[in-house]
Amino acid sequence: MRLRGGGWAILQTSVAAQLAWLISHALLDHPQPFFAPIAAAVCLSNIHAHLVHSCLSLLPSLDCGRWGTVMRKFLAVGLLAAAVTSSSFALAQQAQPASGSTPASASTNPAATWSAEDAAAFSEARIAALKAGLTLKPDQEKNWKPFETAMRDMAKQSADRASQRMAERKDTTKVADPVEQLRQVNRGLRRSLGSQAPALPTKADTHAALGLTPYDHSPWNRNSTGFRNNLEGWQQNPGPGMHNLVHVWVGGDMLPATSPNDPVFFLNHCNVDRIWEAWMKKPGSPGRVYLPDDTAPVSLKGHRLHDTLSSLLSGSTTPAQMLNVTALYVYDSLVV
């Protein structure tokens, strides 16, 4: 009776221990994280040992009529399936060595020798153990079969996804060069020209931006009213404007962080730099200046004149080094 009453706590601690092993082994590259599952089990047993059991004990008290019955079933399925699929996912991750590592022997990692059939059998044993630890009422017993089928399907899907990810890690045909990886996509370029904005920026918009000074000022964000923020496109009302408007008008891949996949991204940003160069060279301009300078507070670190800007695709630089690029290239025309 004591074992049956504590079945949920034991299951929860078991799953947490396996997830601790998974995180340490697959994400932190620890070869044999022996103490990770021990620490997880100790912490969880002391703090959350009866959390899932308490949640399930509250389910019969939910009374919302017909919809209350549906809610109870969905909550029960979710809790049960999460327990089984989490353990199956951890097993699938352990069953294959990480890319570039030496496969563990059966004596050091028995799970490394398990086949897909072994993993399925393990999930079946988990489901059986789960049922053995529960005291089901007649109406719950009647609904157990659908629960069991759903849990079995979810466990298989999780294991298949984990196996696919591990296989992709070991794929030696993939190019390590990050630039080349950016070129490898499994679909065409997406655009939705003009669907989210009526028109592109006009010459009048550009001339208005060129007439603004200073370059930037406090609070150094989208609420600033200088040249930089206007050229970015945050100051137009209604917005967006200038640089931002090009992204929105092109749409598709130009909207989220995938925007560098579209060649228009580079045309847009090169033109922004050209307009900045025109602003620095116009009569009465402050010249090649950048703000905030080094006297700005440390909270602006990464945005000040001599702060280092790091890139995954190129070397590090500072805004000061980018103020005069004439040694690298010049524009054919600064007419805007």
Side-chain angles (χ1 to χ4, degrees):
M1 290 297 295
R2 179 174 298 179
L3 179 60
R4 290 174 67 87
W8 276 109
I10 295 172
L11 178 62
Q12 187 185 22
T13 305
S14 174
V15 172
Q18 293 189 54
L19 288 176
W21 176 286
L22 167 64
I23 293 172
S24 301
H25 181 68
L27 300 183
L28 302 181
D29 294 327
H30 195 293
Q32 291 292 329
F34 177 75
F35 289 103
I38 296 177
V42 171
C43 293
L44 193 60
S45 62
N46 288 336
I47 300 174
H48 299 294
H50 301 289
L51 178 59
V52 177
H53 187 274
S54 299
C55 289
L56 285 176
S57 66
L58 291 175
L59 290 179
S61 65
L62 292 175
D63 187 8
C64 302
R66 180 169 63 90
W67 291 109
T69 302
V70 176
M71 289 171 59
R72 286 196 294 272
K73 291 181 179 180
F74 272 108
L75 286 172
V77 169
L79 287 171
L80 299 178
V84 175
T85 54
S86 296
S87 58
S88 300
F89 174 75
L91 172 66
Q93 288 282 28
Q94 292 181 31
Q96 301 184 50
S99 177
S101 64
T102 302
S105 65
S107 59
T108 58
N109 185 13
T113 63
W114 285 22
S115 64
E117 291 75 16
D118 294 328
F122 180 84
S123 296
E124 291 294 334
R126 282 283 183 180
I127 294 173
L130 184 61
K131 185 177 182 182
L134 295 173
T135 303
L136 300 177
K137 296 178 181 179
D139 60 331
Q140 294 173 328
E141 185 71 40
K142 181 179 62 176
N143 293 323
W144 175 257
K145 273 295 181 183
F147 290 178
E148 188 178 88
T149 301
M151 288 188 294
R152 189 178 293 111
D153 291 343
M154 291 179 66
K156 183 179 184 304
Q157 291 172 10
S158 295
D160 290 345
R161 287 195 296 267
S163 298
Q164 182 180 358
R165 282 192 291 270
M166 295 303 293
E168 290 174 352
R169 290 183 185 179
K170 295 190 296 182
D171 186 359
T172 58
T173 63
K174 288 193 173 181
V175 183
D177 180 18
V179 177
E180 185 62 28
Q181 288 179 352
L182 287 176
R183 298 193 184 104
Q184 296 180 357
V185 294
N186 59 1
R187 60 170 177 81
L189 184 65
R190 293 174 179 168
R191 290 175 179 167
S192 56
L193 306 180
S195 66
Q196 301 190 55
L200 289 166
T202 65
K203 283 181 173 289
D205 296 329
T206 306
H207 290 155
L210 287 173
L212 295 174
T213 53
Y215 172 77
D216 202 2
H217 62 79
S218 178
W220 317 108
N221 57 28
R222 66 178 60 185
N223 295 319
S224 303
T225 57
F227 165 75
R228 189 270 312 168
N229 207 27
N230 188 282
L231 182 57
E232 279 291 311
W234 295 114
Q235 282 297 307
Q236 287 72 17
N237 188 17
M242 299 298 286
H243 155 269
N244 292 348
L245 181 55
V246 176
H247 278 270
V248 175
W249 188 88
V250 174
D253 286 329
M254 276 285 281
L255 285 176
T258 56
S259 56
N261 289 337
D262 192 324
V264 172
F265 171 91
F266 299 96
L267 293 176
N268 185 27
H269 283 253
C270 287
N271 192 48
V272 167
D273 286 343
R274 188 180 73 94
I275 295 172
W276 184 21
E277 182 74 7
W279 181 85
M280 290 188 289
K281 286 187 173 182
K282 72 171 186 174
S285 166
R288 298 188 181 278
V289 298
Y290 174 90
L291 296 170
D293 58 22
D294 298 335
T295 63
V298 69
S299 60
L300 291 171
K301 184 177 181 179
H303 301 274
R304 298 173 298 187
L305 181 61
H306 289 95
D307 286 346
T308 300
L309 307 176
S310 300
S311 171
L312 294 174
L313 303 179
S314 62
S316 300
T317 188
T318 66
Q321 293 173 308
M322 295 293 102
L323 281 176
N324 191 346
V325 295
T326 54
L328 302 175
Y329 58 85
V330 294
Y331 291 100
D332 292 336
S333 172
L334 294 177
V335 176
V336 295

